[in-house]
């Protein structure tokens, strides 16, 4: 029962955290897609004005329009724009996919990490080396991501749909509809599009997030800075969220763009893979484009991690005797 309980505790905490911070995740996805062209001449249109090949046939008004379109806006402005143009419900676009993703991905990674943690913890000192925590996180994150990738692809597409022109929107009605249509229209392999990046990101996030939380919490208690309670959990979890955001953001940007790309039969896809996407993104928008959406990432990762671990600690107390 001990191993199963870790999956149950992690699953409940993950679903609560995922749903409560979903609007922040949606804003992050929209910001990560800023600067990515949507038309057929994506590569040329996406270049910054100083790098684009301009001809005499391009009116100055068009150049100014492209400059304005390429201008980046912050998370608050992005959220307000979504609310004004698409309505309040748009902030929860793809929440059904979030629930499925947390059920598959996070439940798996949290459960496996808990099993490895109990297995690798020194019985005498009741401690686990940081390297072992990181390794446990890498293993748990990789397995969890492979299991949850279909829901991740559906979630990204549903969150990004509102930014597309009406004629190009997919208009998925639910995560089930998204998965069914993707399988029918693009093949079963489309459900694992971007899976290499999902696995890499999940390994980085899980290793940095879970290992950091345990290590920081242990340090705080060992040094006697705080007692084991809500304040300790909040400090340790927010710190872990910051570490995870810094480590994972570049991979997250590439993952979002590859998962969201629209593949038209008979036409060359915008990106051939993760490396191609990274190179095109850096070439067109500069290296800092890999940290697009970092503010909403930490704004989401911080609260998500806090809610995740605070809820997890409370669920553990409730299920302690089971």
């Amino acid at each position: 029962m001990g191993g199963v309980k870790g999956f149950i505790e992690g699953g409940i905490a993950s679903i609560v955290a995922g749903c409560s911070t979903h609007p922040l995740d949606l804003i992050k996805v929209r910001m990560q897609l800023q600067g990515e062209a949507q038309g057929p001449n994506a590569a040329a249109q996406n270049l910054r004005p100083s790098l684009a090949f301009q001809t005499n046939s391009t009116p100055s008004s068009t150049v100014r329009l492209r400059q304005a379109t390429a201008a980046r806006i912050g998370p608050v402005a992005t959220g307000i724009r979504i609310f004004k143009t698409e309505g309040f419900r748009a902030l929860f676009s793809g929440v059904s996919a979030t629930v499925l993703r947390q059920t598959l991905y996070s439940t798996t990674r949290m459960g496996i990490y808990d099993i490895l943690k109990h297995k690798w913890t020194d019985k005498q000192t009741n401690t686990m080396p940081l390297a072992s925590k990181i390794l446990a996180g890498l293993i748990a994150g990789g397995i969890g991501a492979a299991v949850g990738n279909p829901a991740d692809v559906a979630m990204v597409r549903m969150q990004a749909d509102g930014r597309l022109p009406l004629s190009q929107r997919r208009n998925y009605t639910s995560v089930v509809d998204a998965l069914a249509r993707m399988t029918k229209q693009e093949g079963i392999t489309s459900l694992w599009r971007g899976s290499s990046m999902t696995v890499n990101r999940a390994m980085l996030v899980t290793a940095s997030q879970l290992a950091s939380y345990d290590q920081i919490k242990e340090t705080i208690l060992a040094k006697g800075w705080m007692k084991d309670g809500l304040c300790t959990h909040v400090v340790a979890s927010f710190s872990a969220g910051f570490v995870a955001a810094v480590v994972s953001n570049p991979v997250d940007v590439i993952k979002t763009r590859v998962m969201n790309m629209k593949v038209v039969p008979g036409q060359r896809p915008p990106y051939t893979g993760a490396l191609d996407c990274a190179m095109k993104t850096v070439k067109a928008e500069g290296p800092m484009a890999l940290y697009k959406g970092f503010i909403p990432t930490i704004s989401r990762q911080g609260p998500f991690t806090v809610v995740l671990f605070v809820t997890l600690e409370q669920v553990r107390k409730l299920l302690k005797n089971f």
Side-chain angles (χ1 to χ4, degrees):
M1 180 64 185
V4 176
K5 192 165 73 168
F7 285 90
I8 296 172
E9 293 168 347
I12 294 172
S14 298
I15 292 171
V16 171
C19 290
S20 60
T21 59
H22 183 81
L24 296 173
D25 193 49
L26 184 142
I27 291 171
K28 177 203 72 175
V29 167
R30 294 289 182 90
M31 289 188 69
Q32 288 175 340
L33 293 171
Q34 282 182 21
E36 183 183 45
Q38 301 166 26
N41 300 320
Q45 290 178 7
N46 198 34
L47 291 172
R48 288 180 175 177
S50 59
L51 300 178
F53 294 99
Q54 297 178 15
T55 64
N56 294 332
S57 62
T58 304
S60 59
S61 59
T62 303
V63 174
R64 287 196 299 271
L65 178 61
R66 288 179 185 171
Q67 290 175 340
T69 304
R72 303 177 185 178
I73 61 175
V76 175
T78 300
I80 292 174
R81 185 171 68 178
I82 293 171
F83 177 77
K84 285 185 175 180
T85 58
E86 302 172 48
F88 177 77
R89 290 182 61 184
L91 293 171
F92 286 89
S93 296
V95 72
S96 60
T98 291
V99 173
L100 180 61
R101 178 177 181 268
Q102 298 301 337
T103 302
L104 297 175
Y105 159 62
S106 288
T107 299
T108 302
R109 72 176 183 128
M110 298 289 283
I112 292 176
Y113 181 82
D114 189 65
I115 290 173
L116 294 176
K117 181 180 173 182
H118 281 88
K119 187 175 182 179
W120 293 348
T121 295
D122 189 300
K123 306 302 179 186
Q124 295 180 339
T125 61
N126 200 33
T127 59
M128 181 178 174
L130 178 59
S132 298
K133 292 172 186 169
I134 294 174
L135 180 58
L138 291 172
I139 294 171
I143 296 173
V147 172
N149 199 82
D152 209 7
V153 177
M155 182 184 72
V156 167
R157 290 191 173 196
M158 292 174 75
Q159 289 177 334
D161 211 36
R163 69 183 283 276
L164 297 172
L166 290 174
S167 60
Q168 296 180 23
R169 291 185 185 179
R170 300 179 175 101
N171 295 315
Y172 298 134
T173 57
S174 68
V175 64
V176 176
D177 178 53
L179 296 175
R181 284 171 55 187
M182 284 169 61
T183 302
K184 183 178 179 180
Q185 296 169 3
E186 304 172 48
I188 190 72
T189 56
S190 66
L191 300 181
W192 275 270
R193 180 171 294 148
S195 59
S196 62
M197 288 167 298
T198 304
V199 170
N200 290 335
R201 177 188 178 276
M203 291 172 71
L204 292 173
V205 168
T206 305
S208 56
Q209 188 184 66
L210 302 188
S212 295
Y213 176 77
D214 283 342
Q215 191 67 29
I216 293 169
K217 179 184 171 184
E218 287 175 12
T219 302
I220 290 174
L221 296 177
K223 298 288 185 181
W225 294 334
M226 283 185 267
K227 294 182 179 180
D228 190 3
L230 182 61
C231 289
T232 300
H233 301 159
V234 170
V235 171
S237 57
F238 189 83
S239 301
F242 181 80
V243 173
V246 171
V247 170
S248 66
N249 202 88
V251 180
D252 200 27
V253 171
I254 304 305
K255 176 183 77 75
T256 296
R257 293 192 172 195
V258 171
M259 285 183 169
N260 185 59
M261 71 176 175
K262 196 163 189 176
V263 180
V264 180
Q267 294 185 18
R268 186 177 179 180
Y271 310 116
T272 57
L275 183 60
D276 181 55
C277 179
M279 291 178 66
K280 285 180 178 177
T281 298
V282 171
K283 183 179 179 181
E285 303 165 56
M288 288 309 295
L290 297 177
Y291 274 91
K292 273 187 175 181
F294 179 74
I295 298 301
T297 294
I298 186 59
S299 299
R300 184 260 180 186
Q301 193 69 259
F304 174 87
T305 312
V306 170
V307 175
L308 173 67
F309 286 114
V310 169
T311 304
L312 181 62
E313 296 284 2
Q314 299 307 311
V315 172
R316 281 175 177 169
K317 288 181 181 179
L318 290 173
L319 301 179
K320 188 175 182 180
N321 298 322
F322 289 91

